[in-house]
Amino acid sequence: EAQVTQNPRYLITVTGKKLTVTCSQNMNHEYMSWYRQDPGLGLRQIYYSMNVEVTDKGDVPEGYKVSRKEKRNFPLILESPSPNQTSLYFCASSPRLTSTDTQYFGPGTRLTVL
Amino acid sequence: GQQVMQIPQYQHVQEGEDFTTYCNSSTTLSNIQWYKQRPGGHPVFLIQLVKSGEVKKQKRLTFQFGEAKKNSSLHITATQTTDVGTYFCTYNFNKFYFGSGTKLNVKP
């Protein structure tokens, strides 16, 4: 089944404790992206990747890192999480970034930073 | 940066009433896509519009792309409780841009 998977789905952590949220897609998509969703603010892009070893900042990259060593995986790293990073995170993938490509979203990761 | 403005932010309707959400851009769009996110779920692709003035229907949902390709609307006829969720418009131009979403609540 074609899908985007994220792990963990839920995470409660403390300020400063490094964490990684994994994202994997099995559709051989070139484009992958991370978003955070907060009430009243919609979906905001954190980082995106056009292909392996190609990543770029989105609208809210501060406090996050990403890597794209393999096509299927695009982990999101929080080196030193802070409470303002408490949010719902979505990973998404798309075949490429042509104007007609659509995005496939993972199930989401709800992160709470205490 | 480039954005799409989406209104209203929230809409509460009685089951059976109609519902419309609008997206507006200051620039001409090559295409627009609509996604639905159910409560507790993730955004799921609904439809894509590409042509000026295009109208597409999915059962009770009607999607329109403006003649100038700067605005779009999603209209739901006779809402049902299964329509509850947040509806997003989005387009891509070097990256994906999302509207802020319209949260629809349907009272039975």
Side-chain angles (χ1 to χ4, degrees):
Chain A
E1 180 191 353
Q3 59 182 348
V4 179
T5 56
Q6 291 178 231
N7 281 292
R9 295 290 313 279
Y10 304 90
L11 179 61
I12 301 174
T13 189
V14 296
T15 299
K17 186 175 180 183
K18 181 180 178 180
L19 67 93
T20 299
V21 184
T22 64
C23 173
S24 184
Q25 51 93 5
N26 62 1
M27 295 170 279
N28 201 36
H29 286 172
E30 292 183 0
Y31 182 91
M32 297 184 75
S33 182
W34 276 102
Y35 298 88
R36 61 178 290 174
Q37 186 174 36
D38 303 288
L41 296 177
L43 285 159
R44 294 183 293 168
Q45 192 176 50
I46 303 170
Y47 269 95
Y48 64 96
S49 169
M50 302 285 280
N51 213 325
V52 176
E53 301 291 2
V54 181
T55 63
D56 212 341
K57 295 178 181 178
D59 300 315
V60 288
E62 293 78 21
Y64 304 95
K65 283 175 56 177
V66 293
S67 68
R68 188 94 181 271
K69 292 182 170 42
E70 307 165 279
K71 200 170 190 178
R72 63 183 294 125
N73 296 323
F74 191 44
L76 179 69
I77 303 154
L78 284 72
E79 295 270 3
S80 183
S82 62
N84 65 12
Q85 292 179 298
T86 292
S87 188
L88 177 59
Y89 291 86
F90 288 103
C91 179
S93 74
S94 179
R96 288 168 306 281
L97 195 57
T98 63
S99 61
T100 54
D101 281 330
T102 62
Q103 291 192 94
Y104 298 78
F105 284 81
T109 295
R110 187 166 290 281
L111 172 65
T112 302
V113 184
L114 302 174
Chain B
Q2 296 185 309
Q3 291 183 10
V4 283
M5 304 301 294
Q6 191 171 354
I7 56 170
Q9 191 173 3
Y10 301 99
Q11 185 87 59
H12 300 271
V13 300
Q14 198 72 38
E15 189 171 25
E17 292 181 338
D18 292 356
F19 158 78
T20 305
T21 174
Y22 301 89
C23 276
N24 296 293
S25 169
S26 57
T27 59
T28 302
L29 306 173
S30 60
N31 72 90
I32 197 155
Q33 301 170 1
W34 287 92
Y35 289 73
K36 176 183 178 182
Q37 182 180 18
R38 294 181 187 274
H42 58 277
V44 175
F45 173 75
L46 292 176
I47 208 158
Q48 177 168 248
L49 304 170
V50 178
K51 299 176 185 175
S52 169
E54 189 169 14
V55 178
K56 287 188 177 180
K57 292 192 174 186
Q58 288 180 351
K59 297 183 181 177
R60 294 177 295 102
L61 277 61
T62 302
F63 304 84
Q64 291 190 322
F65 202 9
E67 293 290 340
K69 299 181 77 173
K70 288 186 176 182
N71 56 72
S72 180
S73 65
L74 158 58
H75 179 82
I76 302 178
T77 303
T79 54
Q80 299 175 358
T81 54
T82 53
D83 296 325
V84 165
T86 302
Y87 294 84
F88 294 96
C89 60
T90 179
Y91 74 97
N92 75 57
F93 182 76
N94 297 325
K95 57 176 257 185
F96 284 94
Y97 295 87
F98 276 85
S100 53
T102 296
K103 190 172 184 179
L104 172 64
N105 187 37
V106 180
K107 290 180 254 184

